[in-house]
Amino acid sequence: MALSGLDIFKLLPKTNCKKCGRPTCIAFAMQLAQKKANIEECPFVSEEAKAALAGASAPPIRKVTLGGDGRTFAVGEETVLFRHEGKFFNPAGIAVTLDDTLDAAARKGRLDAIGKLSFIRVGLPIQVDMIAVRNLSGKAEPFAAAAREAAAATKLAIALVSDSPENMKAAVAACASRAPLIHAATPANFAAMTAIAKEHRCPIVAKAADLEALSALTPQIKAAGVEDILIDLTMADLRSTVEALTVARRAALKKNFRPLGYPALVFALRADPFDEIAVAGSAIAKYAGVVVTSCAEPWQILPMLTVRQNIYTDPQKPIQVEAKLYAIREPGKDSPVMFTTNFSLTYYSVEGEVEASRVPAWIIAVDTEGTSVLTAYSGDKLNEKVVAKALKDTKAEEIVRHRKLIIPGHIAVLSGKLEEATGWEILVGPKEASMLPAFLKTVWPQHAPKS
Ligand code: SF4
């Protein structure tokens, strides 16, 4: 837990000599607490005080970067229990399994499929992060071969899953440049596993029967020279897993309990893919740093990535699109014009439905500071003046030759004021974006300018 200014002050020389550029030691201490000063600016602070300050200023949950010469991603370094207290920083990595019991052709097919698991949602790219190679064969050779193939086929980070140090050694050597995540160091094998991690500078996952045993294991791994540690919090069922995730997070954040101050890894594996998606989503929402799944179909992965994107969005800053006029399917001067807000989720819902309708159209994304239609309307960020300004700013009048504006059905009540403020004829569109295709194909033609 971070030290207060007064705690830091107690560690300083208290001579008020001003050599640090501050008038007093207490002023310097306050700036240190706010991370606006560096302890090295005081030439008289003792080595013991420096060590104490360094330990106290370390994040309660360690940040660990996964991946090597390919794609990397960071997990951990979270500071709050609940998203509304601030925000979550490093999105949970999604790792898809590759079993070494598959034959070479099946492994290639699965790696090809995993490599394609990337999507665009609300205008942002989302994709899986890692391949978890599992040593189900119990043999070194196929495990190393699968690791080598995973490294060659994609740029994704790699996790290697085996309890055998011998097999792990062979697999790590096969993809060492990717700094694979070693799973797992257990109380029985941690010395050998940690030695491999240390030699190849790999992060490692600690795994034990319960939180108590895990709390005893991580300091031993650290003492053996590996600091980039994850903790496996997969328990017998989802309830126990979420409980363990919550207890570990709370202990790290509220009690500054260092042995559990590491990102968590959870295996979401279930026989039923729908169960697996639900377990993965729950683990993502409740603090997992890495979630391992056997799901490799786009329809299975997309819900997990969607949950992750939503959970790791800053609640104070809604995702926005640029407020401007968007052309969908090469619209012309007689094409329909509609508006919505610049909240990404709202805009892309509308854009997706207009695309699906195959009716070329213009969409004005009105600047409502990234809020949805009803939120913006109730907060007076979406009114006749705002819409009139958007029409003017986007030069819509010069781009089309008609004066018909389709408005969201939820703000039909604004029709009269909008007509007065803009001079455009108002057509009340549907309340739900999903009804836009039908509207554009059946209602709009009745109002479209006659050529
Ligand atoms: Fe205090 Fe050190 Fe600053 Fe001098 S240099 S005022 S001892 S904090």
Side-chain angles (χ1 to χ4, degrees), residues 9 12-26 28-29 32 39 41-45:
F9 174 65
L12 296 177
K14 305 183 200 68
T15 59
N16 297 332
C17 72
K18 302 185 177 59
K19 286 262 170 57
C20 60
R22 280 78 176 181
T24 59
C25 292
I26 186 73
F28 183 58
L32 275 176
I39 189 65
E41 292 174 69
C42 170
F44 308 112
V45 75

Side-chain angles (χ1 to χ4, degrees), residues 75 78 137 177 244 253 265 292 313 379 387 400 425 427 429 433:
V75 291
E78 301 298 339
S137 72
S177 66
L253 294 188
L265 178 143
V292 182
T313 300
V387 175
V400 293
E425 180 187 343
L427 304 177

